[in-house]
């Protein structure tokens, strides 16, 4: 084995022979034969253990050569004019807001760089959903439309297009980022970034938190395949488009599912990465090249990579460059320098780039400084963009990423093009506005330009007809969020939960009860097929192994192996029409899958009901940002935090023990969080949630915690269902009755600790203390109810019917029961017990004693209050 690889050509004549031979092969036999020979040589090299790997970087030029471009089908002049109008109206909207209210923020430069990438998509590729209710099997699947994830900082450009389409008024544009003020002015306030919660008929996907858009787009594309393979919908021919920033690729979520997309052969997925080479403060890779880095990353992950670097003006320069001087020069130019070239004028670029050597200087000898300044990067050339999009749309096999080279602040000239301060540039003076007007040949007077007048061509103008006709051909305006979908019937509780409602003291965990209910619901003829069980990993830990055979685990290729446990009752089974989504050790992937299913009602017009079960510690603490985005997207489904609480999971220790997820869940307005102790309570909560989401079609989702501890399950008390849903009900009374003399106390408990509270009540009762035990199923629902000052607090009324000091305990931090302190009747003491601090490894009993939430400590707290 060579220790020192060759770095120089020791036999130039032989090298020339190899080159000529390969060139002749490619010319005479074609590219396919040339690729075959290269593959054979690689196999031969590996068989002889010659350590060599191909370079994952190609030259810094366009992947699609000029002669291979798909013909451009549009009117180039009109499309260029439309893009200029979008740029102007977006700029006017942002600058107006910032002139009047400097603190409102707003961005100009990002959309300036991405405008042409958006417009080519809008005019030729982004298909809207043209039939309400989606595309059922047998109809044209393309009627279901494409899914488009928009780069969030470019939202002003999307509003600008909606203005020309008549979907937004000029008054609406004048209320950008003024959502509260707008309603008083008869306008619609436009949110800062894509937020479906705030603009529910407009935006489909929230992308404002960097990295969540990319991973979400991958799992939405995969979920469309899931729907097709299960025979629920025909999503064939539909695409998921994602336009993201190069700086955003640094986020772990952006990269975490690239191999899944390639492994699943998601050729329905196209990413466009806007490589303007700048983050907020400066270059993305100042001393390197982000496009090269991303090419290596995506190629290595198995994606089809299309580099869109240079515009059509460069074709002639490359054709005239017989020596390869341009490619060599680009190979030595890092992004920081490329940014400088973007910020400077034609004279500077002639001297400092083309002036590097005589060969480069000769290439631009016939060009003026202005012509050099007008040389476009690929992401600003409509023809080149169309060619890249067409190739991506036609590609089969792996997903495609288009790396589009742009200039941040394109067209902003001295006011901000390519400058370090570009992202923060929010105001332009009169000269800057005139320069911008001239740069894009806008039909505005000096007064209109400096006055930031919005411009809309006449309705019968060529531009407006073109815009309307092209969107009509693609199904209508985008983005557009729709919510029309059919109701899904929910079976009566007695059909799937009678064992839980009438438990008769049988021992089981609430996790076991949930899985049993889920298994029965999956058999329901109408609801069953709509259920999407999701696990990150450890389905067997949650007792779900029996579902493997019942409904199977989804696999896009079926099952190509005989599992080791094939003879067992609970053997592993993967299937093309499998129903379970098992995502591996990726909570970020699992929550992205859950969101895709939970928003199917709006994205596809076809309601699905996802149940994602996971270790509760690895939910809100780990992917809370993604859950918040799911809330923004108006998700409907169940999150099941299993092995919940800080003391229920003995032995696992600090990072596995959850004491705060209910506190975090309480911060999300459309999340209903419950901590049921008993299977009967759980059944009532599941039934109510399914009806609320599938029949009433409310935009809520449920977080329900489950325990792995087996204990006797009581029957659900008569008439308790309403209290379960409101957050509390009187479970039982112990010791002397309320009418008898003697001390009394009230105990509140939830989840895993309610059994300890009940044991404490029994201890106190044996000492002659009368105790009322209230089961708290949801601290957060009680707190929200108490916050409504228009009505009396439900918990206050419940407590008013009891006597004595009140002690509240849960398996979570004390802040959770403290959230309902306002409900305590005046004159009554209120003591809270919780599991504040870090977790420990030990038995349940030892943990509960350590955190002072066991029966003994609860009873002691009552005695102290009575004393």
């Amino acid at each position: 084995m060579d220790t020192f690889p060759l770095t120089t050509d020791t036999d130039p004549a032989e090298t020339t022979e190899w080159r000529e031979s390969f060139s002749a092969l490619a010319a005479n036999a074609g590219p396919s034969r040339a690729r075959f020979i290269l593959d054979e040589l690689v196999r031969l090299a590996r068989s002889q253990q010659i350590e060599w790997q191909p370079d994952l970087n190609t030259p810094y030029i366009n992947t699609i050569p000029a002669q291979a471009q798909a013909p451009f089908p549009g009117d180039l002049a009109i499309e260029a004019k439309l893009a200029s109008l979008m740029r102007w109206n977006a700029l006017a909207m942002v600058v107006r807001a910032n002139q009047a209210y400097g603190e409102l923020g707003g961005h100009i430069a990002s959309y300036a760089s991405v405008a042409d990438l958006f417009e080519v998509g809008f005019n030729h590729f982004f298909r809207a959903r043209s039939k309400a209710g989606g595309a059922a099997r047998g109809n044209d699947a393309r009627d279901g439309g494409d899914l488009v994830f928009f780069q969030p900082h470019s939202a002003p450009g999307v509003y600008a297009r909606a203005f020309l389409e008549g979907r937004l008024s000029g008054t609406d544009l004048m209320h950008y980022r003024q959502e509260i003020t707008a309603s008083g002015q008869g306008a619609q306030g436009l949110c800062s970034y894509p937020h479906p919660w705030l603009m529910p008929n407009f935006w489909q996907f929230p992308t404002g938190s960097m990295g969540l858009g990319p991973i979400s787009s991958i799992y939405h594309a995969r979920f469309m395949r899931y729907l097709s393979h299960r025979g629920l919908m025909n999503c064939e021919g539909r695409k998921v488009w994602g336009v993201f920033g190069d700086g955003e690729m640094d986020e772990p979520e952006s990269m975490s599912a690239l191999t899944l997309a390639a492994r699943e052969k998601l050729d329905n997925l196209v990413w466009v990465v806007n490589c303007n080479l700048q983050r907020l403060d400066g270059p993305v890779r100042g001393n390197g090249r982000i496009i090269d880095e991303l090419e290596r990353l995506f190629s290595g992950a198995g994606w089809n990579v299309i580099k869109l670097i240079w515009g059509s003006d460069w074709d002639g320069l490359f054709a005239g460059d017989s020596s390869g001087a341009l490619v060599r020069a680009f190979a030595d130019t890092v992004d920081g320098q490329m940014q400088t070239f973007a910020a400077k004028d034609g004279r500077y670029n002639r001297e400092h780039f083309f002036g590097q050597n005589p060969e480069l200087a000769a290439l631009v000898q016939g060009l003026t400084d202005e012509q050099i300044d007008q040389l476009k990067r690929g992401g600003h050339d409509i023809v080149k963009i169309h060619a890249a999009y067409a190739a991506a749309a036609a590609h089969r096999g792996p997903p495609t990423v288009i790396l589009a080279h742009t200039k941040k602040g394109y067209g902003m000239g001295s006011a901000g093009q390519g400058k370090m301060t570009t992202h923060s540039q929010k105001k332009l003076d009169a000269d800057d506005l005139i320069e911008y007007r001239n740069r894009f040949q806008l039909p505005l007077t000096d007064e209109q330009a400096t006055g930031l007048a919005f411009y809309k061509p006449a309705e019968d103008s060529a531009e407006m007809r073109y815009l309307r006709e092209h969107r009509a051909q693609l199904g209508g305006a985008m983005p557009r969020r729709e919510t029309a979908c059919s109701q899904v019937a929910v079976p009566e509780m007695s059909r799937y939960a009678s064992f839980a409602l009438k438990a008769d003291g049988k021992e089981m965990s609430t996790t076991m009860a949930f899985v049993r209910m889920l298994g029965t619901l999956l058999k329901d003829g109408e609801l069953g097929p709509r259920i999407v069980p999701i696990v990150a990993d450890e389905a067997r830990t949650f007792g779900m192994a029996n579902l493997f055979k019942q409904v199977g685990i989804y696999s896009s290729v079926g099952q190509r192996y005989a599992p080791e446990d094939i003879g067992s009752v609970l053997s592993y089974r993967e299937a093309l029409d499998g129903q379970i989504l098992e995502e591996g050790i990726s909570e970020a992937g699992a929550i992205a899958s859950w969101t895709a299913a939970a928003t199917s009602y709006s994205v596809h017009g076809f309601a699905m009901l996802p149940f994602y079960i996971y270790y509760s510690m690895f939910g809100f603490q780990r992917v809370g940002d993604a859950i918040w985005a799911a809330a923004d997207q108006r998700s409907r489904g169940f999150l099941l935090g299993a092995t919940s609480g800080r003391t229920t999971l003995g032995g696992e220790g600090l990072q596995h023990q959850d004491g705060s997820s209910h506190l975090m869940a309480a911060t999300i307005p459309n999340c209903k969080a419950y901590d049921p102790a008993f299977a009967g309570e759980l059944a009532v909560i599941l039934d109510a949630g399914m009806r609320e989401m599938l029949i009433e079609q409310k935009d809520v989702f449920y977080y329900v915690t489950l325990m792995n501890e087996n204990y006797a399950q009581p029957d659900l008390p008569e008439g308790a269902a309403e209290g379960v849903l409101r957050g509390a009900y009187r479970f039982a009374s112990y010791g002397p009755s309320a009418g008898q003399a003697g001390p009394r106390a009230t105990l509140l408990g939830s989840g895993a600790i309610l059994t300890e509270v009940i044991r404490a009540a029994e201890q106190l009762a044996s000492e002659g203390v009368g105790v009322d035990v209230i089961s708290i199923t949801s601290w957060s629902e009680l707190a929200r109810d108490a916050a409504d000052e228009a009505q009396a607090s439900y918990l206050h009324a419940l407590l008013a019917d009891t006597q004595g000091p009140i002690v509240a305990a849960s398996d979570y931090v004390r802040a959770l029961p403290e959230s309902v302190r306002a409900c305590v009747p005046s004159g009554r003491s209120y003591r809270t017990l919780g599991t504040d601090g870090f977790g420990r490894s030990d038995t349940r009993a030892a943990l509960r004693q350590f955190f002072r939430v066991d029966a003994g400590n609860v009873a002691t707290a009552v005695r102290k209050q009575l004393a």
Side-chain angles (χ1 to χ4, degrees):
M1 182 184 298
D2 288 338
T3 305
F4 303 102
L6 293 172
T7 57
T8 58
D9 191 347
T10 58
D11 193 340
E14 182 184 34
T15 303
T16 299
E17 290 176 6
W18 276 94
R19 285 176 174 162
E20 291 175 349
S21 177
F22 184 77
S23 296
L25 172 71
N28 296 324
S32 296
R33 178 64 180 168
R35 285 194 293 269
F36 175 81
I37 293 298
L38 288 173
D39 289 339
E40 284 298 307
L41 289 173
V42 170
R43 279 190 282 270
L44 179 62
R46 287 174 178 166
S47 70
Q48 297 184 22
Q49 295 185 320
I50 296 172
E51 296 183 4
W52 178 84
Q53 291 288 340
D55 187 353
L56 292 177
N57 276 129
T58 57
Y60 206 67
I61 58 176
N62 293 341
T63 301
I64 303 172
Q67 63 271 22
Q69 291 175 189
F72 180 69
D75 186 313
L76 190 58
I78 288 181
E79 292 199 26
K81 187 171 183 179
L82 282 171
S84 296
L85 293 177
M86 307 303 175
R87 278 193 174 91
W88 171 259
N89 287 328
L91 177 143
M93 176 176 59
V94 174
V95 175
R96 270 176 173 267
N98 285 301
Q99 284 183 346
Y101 311 96
E103 73 277 7
L104 285 180
H107 305 279
I108 305 168
S110 292
Y111 179 68
S113 69
V114 82
D116 296 299
L117 296 170
F118 277 11
E119 283 306 300
V120 172
F122 277 125
N123 287 323
H124 300 282
F125 293 96
F126 299 163
R127 297 185 63 87
R129 193 163 114 201
S130 56
K131 289 185 178 180
R137 174 75 62 184
N139 293 336
D140 181 4
R142 291 169 66 86
D143 286 345
D146 295 339
L147 282 57
V148 183
F149 290 75
F150 292 97
Q151 187 178 5
H153 290 101
S154 299
V158 182
Y159 294 141
R161 170 169 266 268
F163 168 64
L164 289 196
E165 293 172 333
R167 301 169 64 202
L168 297 176
S169 68
T171 306
D172 294 332
L173 264 57
M174 286 191 286
H175 287 84
Y176 173 57
R177 294 192 172 194
Q178 299 166 64
E179 295 161 274
I180 298 172
T181 308
S183 59
Q185 304 294 322
Q188 176 179 357
L190 305 183
C191 51
S192 55
Y193 306 121
H195 292 303
W197 187 266
L198 300 173
M199 295 180 67
N201 300 318
F202 194 90
W203 294 113
Q204 277 190 302
F205 307 109
T207 55
S209 186
M210 299 288 99
L212 297 189
I215 190 173
S216 185
S217 70
I218 290 174
Y219 281 90
H220 269 283
R222 203 276 297 268
F223 189 71
M224 288 163 67
R225 289 287 172 83
Y226 171 88
L227 290 173
S228 293
H229 286 156
R230 289 194 54 217
L232 298 173
M233 291 185 69
N234 181 6
C235 297
E236 188 177 349
R238 297 172 63 192
K239 294 284 186 185
V240 178
W241 298 83
V243 184
F244 309 116
D246 49 359
E248 186 173 5
M249 294 300 106
D250 286 344
E251 290 284 3
E253 292 89 350
S254 297
M255 302 289 100
S256 63
L258 293 187
T259 54
L260 176 138
R263 182 174 70 246
E264 298 285 309
K265 295 183 171 57
L266 297 181
D267 53 21
N268 61 339
L269 176 66
V270 179
W271 279 12
V272 181
V273 181
N274 175 25
C275 298
N276 59 34
L277 315 185
Q278 283 186 252
R279 288 193 291 246
L280 276 64
D281 292 331
V284 176
R285 293 291 182 274
N287 296 303
R289 286 213 300 257
I290 187 61
I291 290 179
D292 283 353
E293 181 179 321
L294 294 178
E295 181 183 24
R296 289 193 299 271
L297 178 67
F298 282 95
S299 295
W303 286 51
N304 174 46
V305 179
I306 297 176
K307 289 160 70 173
L308 172 60
I309 301 183
W310 307 113
S312 300
D313 297 338
W314 289 86
D315 289 341
L317 298 180
F318 281 110
D321 182 23
S322 58
S323 67
L326 264 180
V327 174
R328 289 195 302 274
F330 290 139
D332 295 330
T333 305
V334 295
D335 283 356
Q337 190 60 47
M338 197 70 76
Q339 179 191 345
T340 300
F341 291 143
K344 302 297 183 179
D345 59 14
R347 178 184 291 264
Y348 181 93
N349 281 273
R350 180 192 296 277
E351 293 176 2
H352 293 85
F353 179 76
F354 292 105
Q356 294 179 73
N357 57 60
E359 294 166 299
L360 288 175
L363 289 175
V364 294
Q365 191 169 11
L367 300 182
T368 64
D369 290 346
E370 184 179 3
Q371 287 173 316
I372 292 175
D373 192 46
Q374 294 292 321
L375 289 172
K376 290 181 179 177
R377 296 183 180 179
H380 302 305
D381 188 305
I382 292 172
V383 173
K384 295 289 187 184
I385 296 169
H386 181 274
Y389 283 15
H395 186 75
R396 294 295 174 265
T400 294
V401 61
I402 298 169
L403 304 177
H405 195 194
T406 65
K407 294 180 181 180
K408 192 160 190 175
Y410 178 67
M412 291 173 66
S414 58
Q417 179 173 286
K419 292 182 179 294
M420 294 290 190
T421 56
T422 293
H423 193 85
S424 301
Q425 186 68 42
K426 297 177 175 70
K427 296 180 181 180
L428 283 76
D429 60 26
D431 290 341
D432 294 329
L433 292 168
I434 295 295
E435 181 184 351
Y436 196 90
R437 187 270 318 265
N438 295 341
R439 169 69 179 81
F440 292 106
Q441 301 176 7
L442 296 161
L444 299 167
T445 65
D446 288 358
E447 185 179 4
Q448 288 173 322
T450 56
L452 296 166
F454 298 126
Y455 182 81
K456 186 175 184 178
E459 288 297 319
D460 61 348
S461 65
E463 294 82 10
M464 293 295 284
R465 290 198 306 271
Y466 189 94
L467 180 145
R468 289 193 298 269
E469 289 169 2
H470 277 69
R471 284 315 310 164
Q473 292 169 7
L474 292 169
M478 284 188 78
R480 186 178 76 234
R481 183 177 179 275
E482 299 179 18
T483 58
C485 73
S486 301
Q487 293 179 337
V488 180
V490 176
E492 293 299 321
M493 270 195 290
S494 59
R495 290 175 51 189
Y496 64 89
S498 58
F499 75 94
L501 299 170
K502 299 291 183 183
D504 196 28
K506 293 186 180 68
E507 285 204 356
M508 71 181 84
S509 67
T510 51
T511 299
M512 185 189 305
F514 163 72
V515 173
R516 184 172 170 183
M517 286 184 243
L518 179 64
T520 306
L521 287 169
L522 284 165
K523 296 174 184 176
D524 184 77
E526 184 168 353
L527 175 61
R530 306 293 189 104
I531 291 175
V532 185
I534 302 172
V535 288
D537 196 30
E538 299 202 81
R540 295 182 190 275
T541 300
F542 304 135
M544 297 175 65
N546 62 307
L547 299 182
F548 293 165
K549 276 196 171 181
Q550 180 180 337
V551 295
I553 299 162
Y554 172 70
S555 167
S556 61
V557 296
Q559 187 159 321
R560 296 177 172 179
Y561 61 92
E564 168 275 328
D565 58 353
I566 194 169
S568 73
V569 176
L570 305 179
S571 63
Y572 204 77
R573 183 174 78 86
E574 298 185 67
L576 185 66
D577 62 350
Q579 199 160 344
I580 300 169
L581 290 174
E582 189 164 33
E583 304 297 3
I585 305 175
S586 172
E587 287 83 7
I591 195 66
S593 256
W594 181 85
T595 303
T599 55
S600 180
Y601 76 94
S602 64
V603 175
H604 307 295
F606 190 83
M608 300 292 285
L609 185 65
F611 289 86
Y612 170 31
I613 185 169
Y614 55 90
Y615 273 43
S616 69
M617 188 65 173
F618 305 137
F620 286 85
Q621 292 89 335
R622 185 155 192 154
V623 289
D625 192 17
I627 295 174
W628 184 263
D632 189 352
Q633 202 171 331
R634 297 173 172 256
S635 295
R636 301 173 184 172
F638 287 92
L639 297 174
L640 290 310
T643 61
S644 72
R646 187 148 280 164
T647 68
T648 189
L649 189 59
E652 290 285 1
L654 184 150
Q655 285 190 289
H656 282 67
Q657 294 170 344
D658 165 31
S660 54
S661 67
H662 271 286
L663 206 58
M664 297 181 187
T667 66
I668 300 179
N670 56 338
C671 173
K672 292 191 171 185
Y674 289 91
D675 186 30
F678 300 126
E681 297 172 351
L682 173 63
V684 169
I685 292 163
L686 292 181
D687 178 74
M690 289 189 291
R691 295 181 187 282
E692 195 168 11
M693 291 182 271
L694 296 176
I695 297 176
E696 299 172 33
Q697 298 192 358
K698 292 183 179 178
D699 296 338
V700 297
F701 67 97
Y702 279 54
Y703 174 57
V704 185
T705 42
L706 305 173
M707 276 69 73
N708 63 337
E709 181 181 0
N710 291 322
Y711 46 74
Q713 298 285 336
D715 293 352
L716 184 72
E718 194 72 28
E722 181 185 359
V724 168
L725 297 177
R726 296 191 70 172
Y729 68 96
R730 188 194 293 257
F731 174 75
S733 296
Y734 299 83
S737 64
Q740 295 178 284
R744 297 198 64 79
T746 303
L747 297 182
L748 313 184
S750 71
I753 301 304
L754 181 58
T755 56
E756 299 290 339
V757 166
I758 292 170
R759 281 195 283 273
E762 292 169 345
Q763 289 180 24
L764 292 166
S766 68
E767 299 168 12
V769 179
V771 182
D772 294 310
V773 172
I774 293 179
S775 174
I776 303 294
T777 52
S778 177
W779 300 99
S780 56
E781 286 299 296
L782 293 170
R784 289 171 181 173
D785 173 74
D788 185 357
E789 298 179 0
Q791 59 185 22
S793 162
Y794 168 74
L795 181 58
H796 182 277
L798 197 61
L799 292 174
D801 207 25
T802 66
Q803 297 174 12
I806 303 168
V807 174
S810 82
D811 215 6
Y812 295 85
V813 294
R814 289 180 56 243
L816 192 62
E818 283 290 337
S819 66
V820 300
R821 181 175 285 275
C823 301
V824 176
S826 60
R828 304 272 295 277
S829 64
Y830 184 62
R831 176 88 166 89
T832 57
L833 306 178
T835 55
D836 294 63
F838 286 121
R840 302 288 193 280
S841 295
D842 216 308
T843 64
R844 288 193 187 103
L847 288 168
R848 288 170 184 173
Q849 186 177 40
F850 174 81
F851 285 109
R852 299 182 179 179
V853 291
D854 63 339
N857 277 285
V858 173
T860 297
V862 171
R863 295 186 194 105
K864 288 181 177 179
Q865 296 299 305
L866 288 171

